[in-house]
Amino acid sequence: MGRPIHECLTKTRIEARDLFTMFKLVTSLAIVSACASAFAAVPPGAYNRPQVQIIPQELIPPSPALSPEDELKSFHLAPGIRVELVASEPMVERPVAVQFDPDGRLWVVEMRAFMPNLEGKGEDNPIGRVSVLEDTDGDGRMDKSTVFLDKLVMPRAIMLVRDGVLVGEPPNLWFCRDTDGDGRADEKTSIAKDFGYMIDINNLALTEPENKPNSPIWGYDNWIHIGHYTAKFRWRNGAWERGMTTSLGEYGLSHDDWGHLFNNSNSSQLNAQIIPSQYLGRNPNYPRPRGRGVSVARDQSVWPARVTPGINRGYVAEMLRDYKLKEFTAACAPWIYRGDLFPPEFVGNAFVCEPAGNLIKRDIVTLVDGSLTAHEAYDKSEFIASTDERFRPVNLTTGPDGALYICDMYHGIIEHRISVSKYLEDQVRARGLDTPIGKGRIWRVVPEKAKRPASPQMSKETPAQWVAHLAHRNAWWRETAQRLLVERGDVSVVPALEALAAESKEPMGRMHALCTLDGLQRLTAKVAMHSLDDSDPRVRATALRVGETLLGDKGRSDVLPKWIALAGTETSPEAQLQLALSLGEARDPDADQAMALLCRRAPKHPFLRDAVLTGVGGRELELIEALLAAPEDTGDDALLAGLVGCVLAQRNSDRIERLLAAIVAQPLQRQGVLINGFTSTPVVTDRRPMKLAAEPAALAKLQQTSSSSLKRTLDKAMPLFVWPGKPGAVETTVEPLTAAQRKQFEMGKLLFTGTCASCHQTHGLGLEGQAPPLVDSEWVNGSVERLARIAINGVRGPLTVGKTRYGLDMPPWGVLGDEQLAAIFTYLRREWGHTAAPVETEAVAKVRAAIKDRQDAWTEPELLKLK
């Protein structure tokens, strides 16, 4: 299904001249970024169905624009809650993001130009704005609005920081300040120029507002993390710093008390990052660790309160259940509730918006043995579901009062022009969903008997008072206080923070004290080590993470021995994971062996080995040798196999021969485990084997084994090695690229980075469960006829890549020109050791002409018929 708007490690100083050369090139070529969830499950045959309405007309009610009072009556609510209006048009129009400031004022991003008509004409009008709403009489409804910033084109993100606010208006991330106190921004500085692509109404690809950076949040690590973006920011020592990270989700970002970042895609309602991004890429020999994006909610069912003809594939019966949307198709804004207004059983729950189905789901999230899972809170019903087709929840937040706040875009058209099907066009016109425009509401959800507390006045408080808020039961107070303390930089509060870290009765207070000390750069080994004995694993895990800053100075001799000792005693799976990640930062042989001990003590932990393998880059062989030389059996077979794969991925013949010699000296069973590890890396394959000067003696000796099982294992590994004279080995001669083809290759590399890499990754190995690998893919290296068809029209699963079956859907990229596609294809067919022929622009043009009347995606059987 087309994706609506809302779906959609080195630190460097940011200079004013930083224009991101690659971004400018990609933008000038009119490329729109891809998203990690572009591959979504689609019913078989969906694209080939006649686009006709299958819901009986008599079951479809009209969809007039309702007043806020009448819309409120349309809500079907879970037991025990009530909904209150906070603001509505004309005060707010098409709100897409909100944040409360320290005094309880509500800052609202209004994307007022979004889809004013079915053609999307007018989206480039600079009518977007950021408004500040106030409740001056305390009745719970906003009665004063101040336009802080206007004349924006499709703004989409906001983050209060320092004495101003970050505002995302593609392609810029602006830092805006009010320097004269009149409530309006008068200073506007771009701190990033790659914050999505500028709207171009004449180019559908750039008109699409989906899949652009969004949802900045303040992390426990004092960085500003941003959804669907590969950078994070912080203000430190008088300058903005930019750090690299991994792109997460489509629209929406939040975190739990552990700091796990939650995100989603249009058809996968809740995912989480288990291993933080700063650890994921630190070992180039292990390029695809698990834990980057884990599906938390497996069940994608939704239960609308009305029939849903107005979805993009409403003509596909499999999309519906009783004529209502069956599963998520526009999931966005996953929000982890950590307030204090709802009963305790709500804390840690996930709330997910589904604007196409006019509902909000509540999921109960559990963390058990290192794994996050979620299930529906209600049986075949939702937290909120509306019979009003124009109810479009697109974002959520928790307020200082502990209530849950909803951004309701209240707009008839929620699908963007680039994705609207002919069927949906007809539906919009039939019920007049394209008019009126200029609506929008913000709602507050509270328990039925909740009382309204007084608004905060944190800007008038002292830093000492902020310290006390770090132990508040509502995360809004804790995180706002941490941000203010770090930004203020007042080190006079350090003694109070140290006392809080040691003595607070609230575990989250102790944890936030550590995070704040870290942000102030005043953490000591004494405080960190004391917290390692805390009774709460969240505090212990935080002490480990912030303690990494002590590894580079005299604190190393204090903390590292303690960490190594903890490897033999820590029992919490979550703290064990952080311990492994932090030990990897030490880059120490004893720490490496401690990580291996953790794996042996927790063999069923789903992510512990990945954490270890990310942390031993360049030292894998030494760890193998140490484990094999130990007098007792200290090796974990799965870890040993992974380490072997990493050694092979280094492609260092001396180290590989040294490894083979160590394998020969092992008992038969252990030999099989180690040899099997050679096949565990995607970096070295039979298509890209390891080239050796001669056959290693140890490998020849291994082949003399009489064990049939070891021989079978060797048979799988042998194609990974070649040397001169190896029987059956064929030396491939690759014709070098011409100067023109090399230029084409370089252009393709830039285009791939800007369009495809967020799904398939720069290493081409894809993302587990989200995008298949391109490395060694028969679809990449085979027929250009197939490859061009996939790119132009898209492909729907199931599709076999290598030996894996993917039930995924790739959207069409026919908006790219023939020259651009040919450049990408050439790059794909010559990168990562590929040797396939480059692709000429004329070849793509020929395919495009041949399929010019086709609008359906391709299937595997259809493609396999082509040569």
Side-chain angles (χ1 to χ4, degrees):
M1 200 158 180
R3 300 177 308 285
I5 172 182
H6 34 273
E7 301 167 357
C8 357
L9 283 162
T10 300
K11 301 185 284 277
T12 58
R13 295 282 186 180
I14 297 177
E15 306 278 348
R17 65 180 182 273
D18 187 5
L19 300 180
F20 298 98
T21 302
M22 185 196 75
F23 167 75
K24 291 198 301 181
L25 174 59
V26 175
T27 301
S28 69
L29 292 172
I31 306 303
V32 62
S33 68
C35 65
S37 57
F39 298 84
V42 176
Y47 291 94
N48 295 326
R49 314 265 176 101
Q51 294 191 16
V52 297
Q53 179 177 303
I54 60 177
I55 300 177
Q57 185 60 43
E58 62 270 18
L59 297 182
I60 302 176
S63 296
L66 302 179
S67 67
E69 293 74 20
D70 286 335
E71 185 189 7
L72 183 60
K73 297 174 184 177
S74 77
F75 293 149
H76 292 210
L77 305 178
I81 67 171
R82 74 171 188 265
V83 177
E84 302 169 345
L85 182 66
V86 176
S88 64
E89 69 279 353
M91 183 175 284
V92 293
E93 297 179 22
R94 279 167 273 187
V96 295
V98 295
Q99 186 181 6
F100 284 93
D101 71 14
D103 294 335
R105 299 184 305 168
L106 186 61
W107 294 61
V108 185
V109 177
E110 300 174 70
M111 193 182 282
R112 299 169 71 209
F114 174 73
M115 287 297 287
N117 46 63
L118 270 169
E119 294 74 33
K121 293 180 179 179
E123 280 199 331
D124 56 347
N125 288 337
I127 59 173
R129 67 189 181 193
V130 174
S131 299
V132 184
L133 310 185
E134 299 179 63
D135 174 13
T136 62
D137 58 11
D139 68 349
R141 186 173 296 193
M142 301 300 177
D143 49 50
K144 179 182 177 182
S145 174
T146 302
V147 176
F148 176 79
L149 184 65
D150 57 8
K151 299 181 181 179
L152 299 172
V153 177
M154 301 285 275
R156 57 188 296 106
I158 189 168
M159 176 73 209
L160 296 166
V161 61
R162 295 175 55 213
D163 58 346
V165 59
L166 293 176
V167 176
E169 181 203 24
N172 289 290
L173 177 61
W174 302 105
F175 177 60
C176 306
R177 299 173 65 227
D178 168 21
T179 64
D180 58 12
D182 67 352
R184 292 183 60 85
D186 48 51
E187 184 179 284
K188 187 176 172 185
T189 304
S190 177
I191 70 165
K193 298 182 183 296
D194 63 342
F195 204 77
Y197 296 87
M198 183 181 295
I199 296 296
D200 180 356
I201 198 63
N202 296 314
N203 189 307
L204 279 179
L206 294 184
T207 299
E208 181 189 35
E210 303 173 19
N211 310 320
K212 291 181 173 64
N214 62 84
S215 307
I217 61 171
W218 186 277
Y220 291 146
D221 58 1
N222 300 297
W223 284 90
I224 297 169
H225 297 263
I226 301 170
H228 200 71
Y229 194 45
T230 57
K232 57 185 179 180
F233 299 91
R234 69 179 176 186
W235 178 264
R236 175 166 284 197
N237 300 327
W240 286 104
E241 288 185 359
R242 177 184 177 115
M244 300 310 295
T245 184
T246 52
S247 178
L248 293 175
E250 288 192 346
Y251 192 89
L253 193 68
S254 63
H255 63 80
D256 61 8
D257 283 348
W258 290 93
H260 299 126
L261 291 174
F262 285 79
N263 57 91
N264 61 12
S265 64
N266 58 327
S267 58
S268 181
Q269 59 156 317
L270 193 63
N271 304 320
Q273 185 180 70
I274 305 297
I275 296 180
S277 62
Q278 67 264 32
Y279 305 109
L280 289 169
R282 57 185 176 169
N283 185 359
N285 305 322
Y286 192 62
R288 201 181 183 190
R290 294 178 303 166
R292 175 193 184 276
V294 176
S295 178
V296 177
R298 301 296 179 135
D299 186 358
Q300 306 301 331
S301 300
V302 293
W303 307 93
R306 55 165 288 137
V307 295
T308 53
I311 58 175
N312 215 23
R313 292 196 187 112
Y315 55 89
V316 178
E318 290 89 343
M319 296 290 295
L320 306 174
R321 178 202 311 110
D322 298 330
Y323 302 128
K324 300 175 182 178
L325 181 66
K326 181 179 178 181
E327 296 181 333
F328 276 100
T329 188
C332 63
W335 186 255
I336 304 300
Y337 179 78
R338 294 176 297 126
D340 60 345
L341 186 63
F342 284 88
E345 60 267 24
F346 280 71
V347 176
N349 288 183
F351 293 84
V352 183
C353 295
E354 171 46 271
N358 321 113
L359 59 87
I360 299 172
K361 178 174 288 294
R362 175 188 167 203
D363 285 315
I364 298 174
V365 181
T366 56
L367 179 60
V368 179
D369 296 332
S371 292
L372 281 165
T373 59
H375 65 273
E376 293 182 310
Y378 310 105
D379 182 25
K380 299 181 180 180
S381 64
E382 301 294 356
F383 182 66
I384 297 176
S386 176
T387 57
D388 184 354
E389 190 171 10
R390 297 172 190 254
F391 172 56
R392 306 294 193 185
V394 297
N395 221 329
L396 304 168
T397 196
T398 303
D401 57 356
L404 187 68
Y405 286 78
I406 303 169
C407 273
D408 175 7
M409 214 171 182
Y410 207 77
H411 194 58
I413 306 174
I414 201 67
E415 196 82 40
H416 195 259
R417 172 65 260 175
I418 196 171
S419 301
V420 173
S421 64
K422 178 61 169 61
Y423 164 83
L424 185 54
E425 284 187 17
D426 294 341
Q427 291 293 318
V428 168
R429 292 192 173 97
R431 290 190 299 287
L433 293 173
D434 51 343
T435 59
I437 59 176
K439 303 289 186 180
R441 286 91 195 254
I442 297 172
W443 305 97
R444 177 194 298 113
V445 188
V446 298
E448 278 184 324
K449 298 181 180 180
K451 296 181 180 179
R452 186 172 300 112
S455 294
Q457 297 292 320
M458 291 181 71
S459 69
K460 300 178 178 62
E461 295 179 340
T462 65
Q465 290 174 298
W466 296 341
V467 170
H469 295 322
L470 294 175
H472 202 285
R473 290 177 55 232
N474 183 350
W476 181 88
W477 288 84
R478 299 195 301 266
E479 290 166 10
T480 303
Q482 178 180 327
R483 177 177 69 83
L484 293 174
L485 285 163
V486 172
E487 291 175 348
R488 176 69 62 89
D490 184 351
V491 297
S492 68
V493 300
V494 168
L497 289 169
E498 291 178 337
L500 188 70
E503 302 167 4
S504 175
K505 294 181 180 180
E506 293 292 334
M508 294 307 294
R510 302 195 296 272
M511 193 188 91
H512 275 279
L514 289 171
C515 295
T516 307
L517 286 167
D518 178 46
L520 291 172
Q521 303 177 70
R522 290 296 186 272
L523 181 73
T524 64
K526 179 181 178 180
V527 171
M529 290 187 58
H530 181 274
S531 297
L532 290 175
D533 295 323
D534 197 281
S535 61
D536 193 291
R538 292 171 296 185
V539 180
R540 299 199 299 274
T542 301
L544 287 162
R545 179 183 59 76
V546 299
E548 293 171 11
T549 61
L550 303 170
L551 291 174
D553 59 22
K554 60 183 180 180
R556 181 184 181 93
S557 61
D558 294 320
V559 300
L560 187 54
K562 176 73 170 180
W563 291 2
I564 292 172
L566 276 176
T569 59
E570 179 59 67
T571 57
S572 162
E574 292 73 36
Q576 287 175 333
L577 180 65
Q578 184 58 57
L579 178 56
L581 294 169
S582 296
L583 282 166
E585 291 296 290
R587 295 169 175 82
D588 178 271
D590 292 336
D592 293 345
Q593 292 198 50
M595 287 190 280
L597 174 60
L598 276 170
C599 288
R600 193 167 71 255
R601 290 185 58 235
K604 295 183 179 180
H605 195 296
F607 304 106
L608 196 55
R609 291 185 190 90
D610 294 271
V612 172
L613 292 172
T614 66
V616 294
R619 306 184 307 280
E620 299 94 341
L621 176 57
E622 288 72 18
L623 180 55
I624 292 172
E625 291 173 334
L627 295 175
L628 296 181
E632 70 277 5
D633 185 2
T634 59
D636 170 78
D637 284 351
L639 176 62
L640 283 168
L643 290 167
V644 168
C646 289
V647 174
L648 181 59
Q650 286 182 279
R651 292 186 179 272
N652 183 305
S653 58
D654 290 340
R655 290 175 69 79
I656 289 172
E657 292 191 30
R658 197 170 123 194
L659 173 59
L660 288 168
I663 293 175
V664 168
Q666 297 303 304
L668 191 64
Q669 183 177 359
R670 181 56 60 82
Q671 285 182 351
V673 169
L674 294 166
I675 293 170
N676 195 54
F678 284 123
T679 64
S680 69
T681 176
V683 177
V684 179
T685 67
D686 55 355
R687 293 178 63 95
R688 292 171 290 106
M690 176 64 204
K691 295 181 180 180
L692 302 169
E695 180 181 14
L699 190 57
K701 186 173 182 179
L702 285 169
Q703 292 182 82
Q704 296 172 8
T705 180
S706 59
S707 167
S708 58
S709 62
L710 185 58
K711 283 185 176 180
R712 287 194 296 271
T713 303
L714 277 166
D715 287 343
K716 296 177 181 178
M718 287 302 293
L720 304 178
F721 303 95
V722 295
W723 56 84
K726 179 184 178 182
V730 178
E731 186 69 24
T732 302
T733 301
V734 182
E735 183 176 350
L737 296 176
T738 66
Q741 291 168 342
R742 170 55 58 180
K743 184 176 180 180
Q744 183 188 36
F745 174 93
E746 294 300 333
M747 177 192 289
K749 182 176 183 178
L750 288 176
L751 295 175
F752 173 84
T753 302
T755 61
C756 317
S758 59
C759 283
H760 296 287
Q761 303 296 285
T762 55
H763 48 55
L765 299 175
L767 288 173
E768 186 176 358
Q770 297 185 47
L774 302 176
V775 175
D776 295 337
S777 169
E778 59 271 42
W779 300 101
V780 169
N781 295 293
S783 165
V784 175
E785 292 270 338
R786 297 172 184 166
L787 185 58
R789 280 168 168 78
I790 290 172
I792 293 170
N793 292 114
V795 65
R796 67 176 183 274
L799 184 75
T800 302
V801 181
K803 297 180 181 180
T804 304
R805 194 79 163 158
Y806 292 86
L808 304 170
D809 172 45
M810 174 180 154
W813 285 97
V815 294
L816 301 181
D818 299 334
E819 182 181 9
Q820 296 157 6
L821 288 175
I824 293 174
F825 297 164
T826 296
Y827 170 71
L828 297 179
R829 290 160 67 88
R830 282 300 179 94
E831 182 66 324
W832 310 306
H834 293 168
T835 59
V839 178
E840 300 294 332
T841 299
E842 292 73 17
V844 179
K846 182 178 179 181
V847 173
R848 193 188 295 267
I851 61 174
K852 61 183 177 64
D853 294 327
R854 183 180 178 108
Q855 297 185 4
D856 301 338
W858 297 88
T859 65
E860 183 175 60
E862 289 176 313
L863 293 169
L864 290 177
K865 292 178 183 179
L866 302 168
K867 294 183 179 180

